[in-house]
């Protein structure tokens, strides 16, 4: 697999014939003896990921050759070379989710929405999941995305999944989609760095809010404490947290599992 379009967008692109987890592969490269060879916007991808990970120890399941696992290394720096404020880092999963939402929208006539914080849904079904991980030395972030390309209905790992093909996409080519995602990611990442991680100033907060299908919906949030919050999602705050109105009391949710409730 040559991936000429994607190669033009990445600083380094390695396509693996198979990988356990592309996030693990890229973390290893980004922190190993040869880490200088893995600059900002380095990418590892495979169409055959065998042990994909989700959040909270969950697994991401994809039949060989029918989906794409993409990991992008970001080493965010302001134009002056400074590190970004720690509290801006929470925006990266959202930034990646928005980039992927835009790529999916470009090929799926039915459109796509971002489910806070970072799944991409078509008609309420998950076509892409994203998992961001901070490097152990905090020198960068690896953003993994699993994109379902051509799975058939009987190959979907869970009822709530879909693939680009099943969603009626007019293009399911891996290089086209990867290059589109990298372009969208770059177009959001540069202004965010220029604004020193200020999501309001860079327009990221507004853009994510506009694409986020969670806003306006009834949601149930399972908090890390185990408590549950049921209410209406009303917005996203300047730190990327989901605002939930539960009985006229607004809570800002930073990490939690959000279920879209259907009535
Ligand atoms: P949820 O979809 O339950 O909100 P999440 O956003 O936390 O989960 P992750 O934990 O990142 O998602 O992803 C793992 C979950 O995604 C699994 O528990 C499973 O329900 C679902 N899943 C696994 N593989 C796929 C796939 N190929 N396509 C869509 N969904 C998948």
């Amino acid at each position: 697999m040559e991936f000429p379009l994607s190669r033009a967008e990445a600083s380094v692109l390695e396509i693996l014939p198979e990988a356990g987890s592309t996030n693990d592969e890229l973390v290893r490269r980004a922190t190993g003896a040869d880490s200088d060879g893995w600059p900002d916007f380095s990418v590892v991808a495979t169409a055959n990921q065998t042990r994909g990970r989700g959040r909270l120890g969950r697994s991401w399941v994809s039949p060989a050759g029918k989906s794409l696992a993409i990991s992008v290394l970001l080493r965010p720096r302001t134009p002056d070379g400074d590190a970004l404020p720690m509290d801006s880092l929470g925006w990266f999963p959202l930034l990646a989710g928005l980039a992927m939402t835009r790529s999916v929208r470009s090929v799926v006539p039915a459109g796509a929405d971002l489910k806070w914080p970072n799944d991409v849904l078509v008609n309420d079904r998950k076509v892409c999941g994203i998992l961001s991980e901070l490097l152990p030395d905090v020198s960068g972030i690896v953003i993994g995305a699993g994109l379902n390309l051509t799975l058939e209905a009987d190959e979907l790992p869970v009822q709530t999944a879909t693939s680009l093909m099943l969603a009626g996409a007019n293009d399911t080519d891996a290089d086209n989609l990867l290059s589109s995602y990298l372009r969208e990611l770059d177009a959001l990442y540069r202004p965010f760095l220029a604004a020193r991680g200020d999501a309001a100033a860079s327009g990221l907060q507004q853009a994510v809010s506009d694409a986020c299908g969670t806003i306006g919906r009834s949601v149930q949030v399972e908090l890390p404490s185990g408590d549950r919050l049921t209410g209406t999602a009303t917005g996203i705050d300047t730190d990327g947290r989901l605002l939930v109105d539960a009985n006229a009391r607004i809570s800002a949710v930073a990490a939690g599992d959000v279920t879209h409730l259907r009535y």
Side-chain angles (χ1 to χ4, degrees), residues 8 33 38 87 111 113 124 138 148-150 159 187 214 220 225 262:
W38 296 89
D87 57 9
D113 285 314
D124 252 6
V138 203
N148 296 330
L149 296 175
T150 53
Q159 288 282 324
T214 308
Q220 181 166 291
S225 63
R262 295 181 174 88

Side-chain angles (χ1 to χ4, degrees), residues 88-102:
S88 69
L89 301 185
W91 277 100
F92 282 100
L94 292 154
L95 189 153
L98 176 58
M100 187 60 89
T101 301
R102 290 179 169 177

Side-chain angles (χ1 to χ4, degrees), residues 44 52 56 74 88 113 134 149 151 153 156-157 160 179 182 217 225:
V44 169
L56 309 168
L74 299 179
S88 69
D113 285 314
L134 210 52
L149 296 175
L151 288 83
L156 297 175
T160 50
S179 60
L182 296 176
R217 293 193 53 164
S225 63

Side-chain angles (χ1 to χ4, degrees), residues 53-56 58-62 115 118-119 126 129-131 148 151 157-158 160-162 257-258:
R53 289 183 286 109
R55 297 186 302 160
L56 309 168
R58 295 176 190 141
S59 52
W60 184 262
V61 183
S62 35
K115 179 188 169 203
N118 55 17
D119 289 337
K126 181 148 72 166
I130 290 176
L131 181 71
N148 296 330
L151 288 83
V158 286
T160 50
T162 190
D257 263 4
V258 173

